[in-house]
Amino acid sequence: MKRFRICRDTRPLRQFVNRHAGRRYKTTACPNLDSDPTRLLLQLCRDGYYLAPGPDHMDRLQQGTGCSYGPLGTELKNSLLQQWWGSVKRSRSTQVFGISTLTARDDGSGEGSPIVDVERLNQLLGAEELTKAQLIQRIQMLLRRSTSLRTSLLQGALEQYSSWLELVNKRLPFGLAETGLSFQPLDGSGSQGEATYASLVWFCSPRSSSQWLDYWTRLRLQWWRKVFALAPSEFSSQDVPEEELQAGVSRGMKIVYSFPWGQETLENLWSRGDCELLQTHGGVRAKIQCRDGRKLVVPHVISVASNMDRGIMAYMHNSLQLLKKHDGKQKLYQRKVLKLHPVLAPVKVALDMGRGSTLELRQVCGGLLQEFLDAGISVWPGYLDTTSLSMEQLNTKYDEMGVLFTMVIDEKTLESGLLQVRSRDTTVREFKHISEVKGFLLRYIRAAHNM
Amino acid sequence: MKRFRICRDTRPLRQFVNRHAGRRYKTTACPNLDSDPTRLLLQLCRDGYYLAPGPDHMDRLQQGTGCSYGPLGTELKNSLLQQWWGSVKRSRSTQVFGISTLTARDDGSGEGSPIVDVERLNQLLGAEELTKAQLIQRIQMLLRRSTSLRTSLLQGALEQYSSWLELVNKRLPFGLAETGLSFQPLDGSGSQGEATYASLVWFCSPRSSSQWLDYWTRLRLQWWRKVFALAPSEFSSQDVPEEELQAGVSRGMKIVYSFPWGQETLENLWSRGDCELLQTHGGVRAKIQCRDGRKLVVPHVISVASNMDRGIMAYMHNSLQLLKKHDGKQKLYQRKVLKLHPVLAPVKVALDMGRGSTLELRQVCGGLLQEFLDAGISVWPGYLDTTSLSMEQLNTKYDEMGVLFTMVIDEKTLESGLLQVRSRDTTVREFKHISEVKGFLLRYIRAAHNM
């Protein structure tokens, strides 16, 4: 093991992060990863604690519905949603308000799958006095009056629209943002697919709705690409052909990602006109009109709906790199690295023990762990793992999990306070003083957020 | 309007925040607020953009189910969930892993309300060849095989338990944390009540399960009370009488809040033994055993489930203060202030315009707004509101919304760069230079997080 000089970084942070994020190796694009890149991705997701083990992930993922996430996947999902909220709120158009509406809806719209009141249904099924025809009629009535699960987040925003008119002085444009579950029956199986959506419903002047659709498509594509992607070109936007548009939608765009199994839609942007808004408010124009210059108009609606479960898989796939590397003996081997952006990487640092008195080292690790947790740095307590792994195996494991830094505490740390810090992105190992590492991580994370 | 000296605060931040959070007025406890404190609370929630206007909030709130939130309520909910995650992860026991499981479950457990596959049901209802008896039988079969909505977050954690055993080296204790929706039929109405729960399922040695139950009760009560409460004594913990315990639960505790309409449960802590865990894993002890010292044991389960929708209402009620104040002419009037903790307050600062050239002032406000948004400070663009309100009316409005600071930009700002900053908690008005206000807010918020 080679010692490096203690590094006190005084260069500007942006440069510093860029350096760490630099790619030193010849990389191979993801689609050529393996004979079956989809399986490889899934396997890494499971082994890296992103997805919970389960038989039906493959189908669910390809259908774009949510599945059970493990600790790292849950953290990644939370981060991605947080980033989405931040981007929507920070966008130049400051008139975006967050809302939260109900998932189970009593609107009698007949949309979405009904949730049955089992007790009443059983009463009907047990009522001997009913003829078959009467029974059928009663069941149909019960279904019509049932609560049903929403199939998108649009309807909630349309309903809330009029409540927030006063807040914006009836001035256009403004938007209502929401994140949450929506449900769709899965093809053929009769069971339900759920996915977490991030939705922005944008109310604007009819004159400018087309420009706004372009504006949001540009902004959203930029977000998917620029913010976290390693290979931005895998994200792209497309016009939706007329025959694929929903009823009432005059123009549509979509943002797609090129998965190994084909292109899938991450986000739909529809220009919906004013029909649904009018319908939601009983056709009463006076209740929903807004000022457009000096005129009063019924606004047009643009809906922007991102499937965040699919988004997570897109980033997982996008950040997976196969690196070819020569070891000391010039033998070629492959390194799989999940190069998730530092902001999204669910684990910022792993703590492990090297050689030395286990008891003492464990104490040092425990202290550092608590220090990191208190500072809000997400940390992996690798030192608690008693499986004996070589340093090489540890690095492989953490690279596949996308852990940004690995810190190893050993007997030298007890002597001199120095510990080894290895970066996922450069594979460089440096020694840092134990009193500096928290500050180092915080600066690194903050710089990544500001990039 | 009185001028104050320009204040450059050099005192330690903790003291500084405490000073701002200090209460200068005689306060009246919430329950005496008004002849109908519940209605008053609801009205403030609506007027302050916490809840979306709607007819059924009252019932839903008292039943502890979620409702539609407005912009401020949505922000508050997100903050509270984030704080919960932080507290669970930071707790001494570092072995808590976040998970995310499905809301619609195919487990055939018969629990929860089934979601009907409408297409198949309609096929059955339309099948003329079926007799009434056959129809009933087929419908019952369809129901049994339906996806159903989860009624708690427990089952998902029990199922995932075995997947994470390797991760913890089969060492007890550890926990699985999750936040998400769960559903319960509303009494009598046949419709569904949904609520966001924060759940911790804790796996521990059978020998220490009783101590762990006490530990978590203490820790959780402390969280509710200490972290954000203005009147901590309204939160309390209680033993659950034996006759109220669910089947299989050996001991239970609950954390309650004293609402104006009576005590309601915020959180249930159940000591559940090992039955459900065994049942979930088909009774195969070998699959689920963990090390307890040198022995292998099937762990006991403690479930901690917090109703976050009710939690939001508890904090809203807890932070509402009625303050009696004399104005200059010694006339007594009442001030309603929503003193939400600075960490939870959804709007940190409101920006308004005073006298001066509207065009120029609007530009300054716009610049400041963007600066705050870029720094992640949640800001209320009051200057866009063209309703003409006096400074007194503005203050009243923002106090009722719980806005921490109000900044007024006027012609003096254009001349000297000074703007007026008013604190919700002290009502003190100070002048600060426009170049300083972002730093001031960031320091204030950071200090509040560290308190």
Side-chain angles (χ1 to χ4, degrees):
Chain A
M1 218 183 291
K2 237 174 92 187
R3 280 226 178 194
F4 286 78
R5 67 188 165 77
I6 302 169
C7 150
R8 276 181 200 271
D9 209 296
T10 52
R11 276 159 294 174
L13 281 170
R14 182 177 292 262
Q15 187 191 341
F16 163 69
V17 169
N18 280 334
R19 181 173 61 94
H20 275 82
R23 286 154 227 166
R24 291 181 139 208
Y25 300 95
K26 231 181 128 180
T27 65
T28 319
C30 288
N32 311 324
L33 260 183
D34 208 25
S35 56
D36 189 348
T38 308
R39 298 257 153 238
L40 175 67
L41 182 66
L42 256 182
Q43 186 205 321
L44 280 175
C45 285
R46 276 183 202 155
D47 293 352
Y49 312 113
Y50 282 86
L51 296 182
D56 55 351
H57 286 322
M58 193 63 212
D59 291 350
R60 286 192 174 260
L61 289 177
Q62 297 198 347
Q63 292 195 39
T65 59
C67 53
S68 287
Y69 293 96
L72 271 65
T74 304
E75 188 89 20
L76 175 58
K77 191 170 178 174
N78 288 345
S79 302
L80 199 58
L81 287 171
Q82 230 173 311
Q83 289 299 324
W84 183 87
W85 277 107
S87 81
V88 163
K89 274 191 229 150
R90 258 199 312 276
S91 62
R92 284 285 144 190
S93 41
T94 51
Q95 297 280 65
V96 176
F97 303 96
I99 57 170
S100 165
T101 66
L102 295 175
T103 311
R105 305 172 53 78
D106 283 327
D107 58 1
S109 66
E111 272 183 54
S113 302
I115 307 163
V116 181
D117 184 347
V118 186
E119 210 172 305
R120 291 207 192 172
L121 184 59
N122 280 334
Q123 272 172 12
L124 289 181
L125 295 180
E128 290 179 14
E129 71 279 12
L130 294 180
T131 64
K132 187 188 163 195
Q134 286 171 326
L135 177 66
I136 291 176
Q137 199 192 5
R138 296 283 187 89
I139 291 177
Q140 282 168 337
M141 212 151 71
L142 181 68
L143 285 181
R144 267 198 301 279
R145 281 188 308 200
S146 289
T147 309
S148 57
L149 289 171
R150 66 179 171 197
T151 54
S152 84
L153 277 63
L154 173 69
Q155 199 55 37
L158 293 182
E159 280 164 22
Q160 283 216 11
Y161 163 80
S162 60
S163 316
W164 310 118
L165 276 184
E166 188 201 345
L167 177 61
V168 295
N169 295 309
K170 300 196 165 190
R171 201 166 27 209
L172 297 175
F174 73 97
L176 297 176
E178 180 172 12
T179 56
L181 287 177
S182 79
F183 294 80
Q184 292 282 355
L186 287 177
D187 292 344
S189 73
S191 61
Q192 288 288 317
E194 60 187 82
T196 301
Y197 276 83
S199 149
L200 172 69
V201 180
W202 186 248
F203 304 95
C204 62
S205 152
R207 286 182 299 130
S208 55
S209 65
S210 193
Q211 285 100 299
W212 278 116
L213 181 64
D214 296 331
Y215 170 84
W216 283 113
T217 308
R218 210 167 49 240
L219 209 75
R220 294 296 306 145
L221 178 61
Q222 212 175 46
W223 185 78
W224 286 106
R225 274 188 176 173
K226 209 176 109 182
V227 192
F228 311 116
L230 210 59
S233 61
E234 314 260 8
F235 295 88
S236 58
S237 64
Q238 299 174 357
D239 278 286
V240 178
E242 219 165 298
E243 60 273 20
E244 287 178 26
L245 294 177
Q246 282 176 10
V249 175
S250 61
R251 215 185 116 209
M253 300 290 293
K254 59 183 176 184
I255 294 173
V256 298
Y257 183 78
S258 304
F259 283 99
W261 60 84
Q263 278 193 344
E264 298 277 6
T265 305
L266 294 178
E267 186 156 333
N268 272 313
L269 301 103
W270 304 119
S271 179
R272 321 188 73 103
D274 57 9
C275 290
E276 290 151 312
L277 184 62
L278 269 164
Q279 207 179 346
T280 306
H281 295 275
V284 188
R285 304 181 80 87
K287 247 172 72 184
I288 54 174
Q289 279 176 329
C290 267
R291 275 193 297 255
D292 177 24
R294 293 184 175 200
K295 277 196 303 185
L296 280 175
V297 297
V298 172
H300 276 199
V301 175
I302 288 171
S303 67
V304 182
S306 326
N307 182 332
M308 298 311 252
D309 285 297
R310 200 169 255 162
I312 288 170
M313 288 320 294
Y315 280 125
M316 291 292 287
H317 177 258
N318 199 264
S319 58
L320 180 55
Q321 281 199 329
L322 242 201
L323 305 167
K324 287 188 177 133
K325 201 183 152 184
H326 293 271
D327 68 2
K329 295 162 199 149
Q330 291 301 310
K331 214 175 114 189
L332 191 80
Y333 67 95
Q334 268 188 341
R335 229 184 108 213
K336 298 185 206 90
V337 193
L338 199 62
K339 284 203 170 177
L340 278 169
H341 189 280
V343 168
L344 292 185
V347 180
K348 311 299 183 205
V349 60
L351 283 180
D352 275 274
M353 292 194 301
R355 280 179 197 177
S357 147
T358 314
L359 200 70
E360 281 177 273
L361 293 180
R362 199 181 278 270
Q363 271 183 343
V364 177
C365 287
L368 213 47
L369 179 86
Q370 201 59 47
E371 197 184 331
F372 290 163
L373 289 173
D374 288 343
I377 299 167
S378 125
V379 50
W380 190 260
Y383 67 96
L384 293 175
D385 196 336
T386 47
T387 338
S388 138
L389 292 179
S390 72
M391 210 42 78
E392 203 52 44
Q393 287 170 316
L394 261 188
N395 291 340
T396 305
K397 176 180 158 187
Y398 290 144
D399 282 345
E400 291 178 13
M401 284 167 68
V403 174
L404 285 181
F405 293 99
T406 309
M407 298 192 177
V408 179
I409 286 95
D410 61 14
E411 51 196 6
K412 281 171 238 145
T413 317
L414 299 177
E415 285 162 24
S416 62
L418 292 179
L419 49 85
Q420 204 191 84
V421 181
R422 175 188 178 272
S423 152
R424 171 196 76 182
D425 294 334
T426 61
T427 70
V428 165
R429 283 191 282 255
E430 292 176 310
F431 280 87
K432 287 186 188 294
H433 197 267
I434 194 164
S435 62
E436 286 179 331
V437 287
K438 187 180 87 177
F440 164 80
L441 287 172
L442 286 176
R443 280 198 307 280
Y444 187 91
I445 295 167
R446 204 168 307 144
H449 272 277
N450 293 334
M451 267 170 80
Chain B
M1 220 181 290
K2 237 174 98 186
R3 281 225 178 196
F4 286 79
R5 69 190 162 76
I6 303 169
C7 150
R8 276 182 201 270
D9 210 298
T10 51
R11 276 158 295 173
L13 280 170
R14 181 176 293 261
Q15 185 190 340
F16 163 71
V17 169
N18 279 333
R19 180 173 62 92
H20 276 82
R23 287 153 226 165
R24 290 181 139 206
Y25 301 95
K26 232 180 127 181
T27 66
T28 320
C30 287
N32 311 324
L33 260 185
D34 208 24
S35 55
D36 190 347
T38 308
R39 297 258 150 234
L40 175 67
L41 181 66
L42 256 182
Q43 186 204 323
L44 280 175
C45 285
R46 278 184 200 155
D47 294 350
Y49 312 111
Y50 282 87
L51 295 183
D56 55 352
H57 285 324
M58 193 63 211
D59 290 351
R60 286 193 173 261
L61 290 177
Q62 296 198 349
Q63 292 195 42
T65 60
C67 53
S68 288
Y69 292 96
L72 273 64
T74 304
E75 187 91 20
L76 176 59
K77 191 170 179 176
N78 288 347
S79 303
L80 199 60
L81 287 171
Q82 228 173 314
Q83 289 299 323
W84 183 86
W85 276 108
S87 81
V88 162
K89 276 191 230 150
R90 257 199 313 276
S91 62
R92 283 288 141 191
S93 40
T94 52
Q95 298 280 64
V96 175
F97 302 96
I99 57 169
S100 166
T101 65
L102 294 174
T103 312
R105 305 171 52 77
D106 283 325
D107 58 1
S109 66
E111 271 183 53
S113 302
I115 307 163
V116 180
D117 183 346
V118 186
E119 210 172 306
R120 291 206 191 175
L121 183 59
N122 280 334
Q123 273 172 10
L124 289 180
L125 296 180
E128 288 179 13
E129 71 279 11
L130 295 179
T131 64
K132 187 187 164 193
Q134 284 171 326
L135 177 67
I136 292 176
Q137 200 192 3
R138 297 282 187 90
I139 291 178
Q140 282 167 337
M141 214 151 71
L142 181 68
L143 285 181
R144 267 198 303 276
R145 282 188 308 200
S146 290
T147 310
S148 57
L149 290 171
R150 65 179 171 198
T151 53
S152 85
L153 276 63
L154 173 69
Q155 199 56 36
L158 293 183
E159 281 164 21
Q160 284 217 8
Y161 163 81
S162 59
S163 316
W164 310 119
L165 276 184
E166 187 202 345
L167 178 63
V168 296
N169 296 309
K170 299 196 166 193
R171 200 164 31 206
L172 296 174
F174 73 99
L176 296 176
E178 179 172 13
T179 55
L181 286 176
S182 79
F183 293 81
Q184 292 282 355
L186 288 177
D187 292 345
S189 71
S191 60
Q192 288 288 318
E194 60 187 80
T196 301
Y197 275 83
S199 149
L200 172 69
V201 180
W202 187 247
F203 304 95
C204 61
S205 151
R207 286 181 298 126
S208 55
S209 65
S210 193
Q211 285 101 298
W212 277 115
L213 181 65
D214 295 333
Y215 170 84
W216 281 113
T217 308
R218 209 166 52 240
L219 209 74
R220 294 293 309 144
L221 180 61
Q222 213 174 45
W223 185 78
W224 286 106
R225 272 188 176 171
K226 211 176 110 184
V227 191
F228 311 116
L230 211 60
S233 61
E234 314 261 7
F235 294 88
S236 58
S237 65
Q238 299 174 359
D239 277 287
V240 178
E242 220 166 297
E243 60 273 19
E244 288 177 26
L245 293 177
Q246 283 175 8
V249 175
S250 62
R251 216 185 114 209
M253 301 289 293
K254 60 183 175 184
I255 294 173
V256 298
Y257 183 78
S258 305
F259 283 99
W261 60 84
Q263 278 190 343
E264 299 277 6
T265 305
L266 295 178
E267 187 157 333
N268 272 313
L269 302 103
W270 304 120
S271 179
R272 320 187 74 104
D274 58 9
C275 291
E276 290 151 313
L277 185 63
L278 269 164
Q279 207 178 342
T280 305
H281 295 275
V284 188
R285 304 181 79 88
K287 246 173 70 183
I288 53 173
Q289 278 176 330
C290 268
R291 276 193 297 256
D292 178 24
R294 296 181 174 205
K295 277 195 304 183
L296 280 174
V297 297
V298 171
H300 276 198
V301 175
I302 288 171
S303 68
V304 181
S306 325
N307 183 332
M308 296 312 251
D309 286 297
R310 200 171 254 161
I312 288 169
M313 289 318 295
Y315 279 127
M316 290 291 287
H317 177 258
N318 199 265
S319 58
L320 180 56
Q321 281 199 330
L322 241 200
L323 305 166
K324 286 187 179 132
K325 200 184 152 185
H326 292 273
D327 67 2
K329 292 162 199 149
Q330 291 299 309
K331 215 175 115 189
L332 193 77
Y333 68 96
Q334 265 188 344
R335 229 183 109 212
K336 298 185 208 91
V337 192
L338 198 61
K339 286 203 170 178
L340 278 170
H341 189 280
V343 168
L344 292 185
V347 180
K348 311 298 183 204
V349 59
L351 282 181
D352 276 274
M353 292 195 297
R355 280 184 198 175
S357 146
T358 313
L359 200 69
E360 282 177 89
L361 292 181
R362 199 182 278 267
Q363 271 185 340
V364 177
C365 286
L368 213 47
L369 180 85
Q370 202 57 47
E371 196 183 332
F372 289 163
L373 288 174
D374 287 342
I377 299 167
S378 124
V379 48
W380 190 259
Y383 67 95
L384 293 175
D385 195 336
T386 47
T387 339
S388 135
L389 291 179
S390 73
M391 209 43 77
E392 203 54 45
Q393 287 169 315
L394 262 189
N395 289 340
T396 304
K397 177 180 156 188
Y398 290 142
D399 283 346
E400 291 179 13
M401 283 166 68
V403 175
L404 284 180
F405 293 99
T406 309
M407 296 191 177
V408 180
I409 286 95
D410 60 12
E411 52 196 6
K412 281 171 237 145
T413 317
L414 300 178
E415 285 162 25
S416 61
L418 292 179
L419 50 83
Q420 204 190 85
V421 182
R422 175 188 178 270
S423 152
R424 172 195 77 181
D425 294 335
T426 62
T427 70
V428 166
R429 281 190 282 255
E430 291 176 312
F431 280 87
K432 286 186 189 294
H433 196 268
I434 194 163
S435 62
E436 287 180 330
V437 286
K438 188 181 85 176
F440 164 79
L441 287 173
L442 285 176
R443 281 199 306 279
Y444 187 89
I445 295 167
R446 204 170 306 144
H449 272 276
N450 294 335
M451 265 170 82

